Amino acid sequence: ADLDRNQKIFCLLGQTPSQFDSATVMHNFVWSSHTTHIGTVFIASTDKGVCKITIPGQSKREFMNWLEKHAGLGSIAEDPKRHRRVAEELNRYFSRGLVRFHARLDPIGTAFQKQVWRELRKVRYGTTITYKELSKRIGKPGAYQSVGRANGANPLPIIIPCHRVIGSDSRLVGYAAGVKTKEFLLRLEGALLL
């Protein structure tokens, strides 16, 4: 039945299923906002898991734009109670009481991005890795710039710890929420000296 529905959608769009990946066209999102120890975060999920989170300082408008871009023909609904567990985990993280997140995840991205993000989840709390080393770990040693772009597209910062990736010369570079935020998170984890 879903295939028939998707085929109808493709026809309406003037495309065949082989031209258009329905997974990128239709996502049903539920979102909420939560106050954490360091400010307000916005969290969204699909029925499979958490797919988007903001860092305090990122605007609601940016968050909603991301949802609208990725929802396609799907829906966006607010449920203030939906992500309490994730917000509690974030508060525990910011209080240094949590080193690994347990929420189910459903990051939205390309196959390459998801490969990078899976590997990022293996970088332990309190440690760092270079872009070059990360590219080696995914079996693409020369792709460190592409790895950097995948890192920058990470929709689940903190939970998928892209802040733990540093430049080859140990400089703090390339963080979507800014280098100061990256420095704050690495200091919080003890990866940088105070």
Side-chain angles (χ1 to χ4, degrees), residues 16 27 29 45 61-62 68-69 76 91 93 95 111 157 193:
T16 64
H27 293 286
F29 295 122
S45 61
R61 185 73 249 152
E62 290 173 292
E68 290 166 5
K69 175 183 174 187
I76 301 171
N91 274 327
Y93 169 83
S95 299
L193 299 175

Side-chain angles (χ1 to χ4, degrees), residues 100 112-145 147-148 151 160-162 164-166:
R100 184 162 179 82
F112 177 77
Q113 289 170 333
K114 289 178 181 182
Q115 180 184 19
V116 171
W117 301 335
R118 275 190 302 276
E119 195 60 38
L120 273 172
R121 294 210 64 206
K122 297 175 186 176
V123 180
R124 289 190 319 256
Y125 181 97
T127 65
T128 59
I129 186 173
T130 65
Y131 291 98
K132 195 171 189 176
E133 186 178 342
L134 183 57
S135 67
K136 287 179 186 175
R137 285 190 186 183
I138 65 165
K140 297 180 179 8
Y144 51 89
Q145 290 179 331
V147 163
N151 220 29
I160 297 177
C162 54
R164 296 180 188 153
V165 185
I166 59 174

Side-chain angles (χ1 to χ4, degrees), residues 1-23 25-26 73:
D2 284 337
L3 185 57
D4 293 336
R5 181 174 184 268
N6 288 340
Q7 286 174 338
K8 289 176 186 174
I9 292 169
F10 296 135
C11 289
L12 289 172
L13 295 171
Q15 297 178 324
T16 64
S18 63
Q19 294 171 312
F20 216 75
D21 178 4
S22 66
V25 176
M26 190 169 13
L73 299 172

Side-chain angles (χ1 to χ4, degrees), residues 59-131:
S59 74
K60 180 179 179 182
R61 185 73 249 152
E62 290 173 292
F63 174 74
M64 295 307 291
N65 286 343
W66 187 93
L67 293 181
E68 290 166 5
K69 175 183 174 187
H70 291 88
L73 299 172
S75 63
I76 301 171
E78 183 177 10
D79 180 352
K81 298 177 184 178
R82 175 76 171 257
H83 304 105
R84 285 186 178 166
R85 181 173 167 232
V86 178
E88 288 170 8
E89 284 192 355
L90 285 167
N91 274 327
R92 287 179 41 222
Y93 169 83
F94 290 127
S95 299
R96 293 189 170 117
L98 181 79
V99 297
R100 184 162 179 82
F101 290 87
H102 305 287
R104 284 183 314 131
L105 304 182
D106 185 23
I108 296 170
T110 66
F112 177 77
Q113 289 170 333
K114 289 178 181 182
Q115 180 184 19
V116 171
W117 301 335
R118 275 190 302 276
E119 195 60 38
L120 273 172
R121 294 210 64 206
K122 297 175 186 176
V123 180
R124 289 190 319 256
Y125 181 97
T127 65
T128 59
I129 186 173
T130 65
Y131 291 98

Side-chain angles (χ1 to χ4, degrees), residues 38 40-42 53-59 94 157-158 175-177 181 185:
I38 66 163
T40 300
V41 296
F42 297 97
I53 189 167
T54 64
I55 293 175
Q58 292 177 315
S59 74
F94 290 127
I158 301 172
Y175 193 60
T181 302
L185 294 170

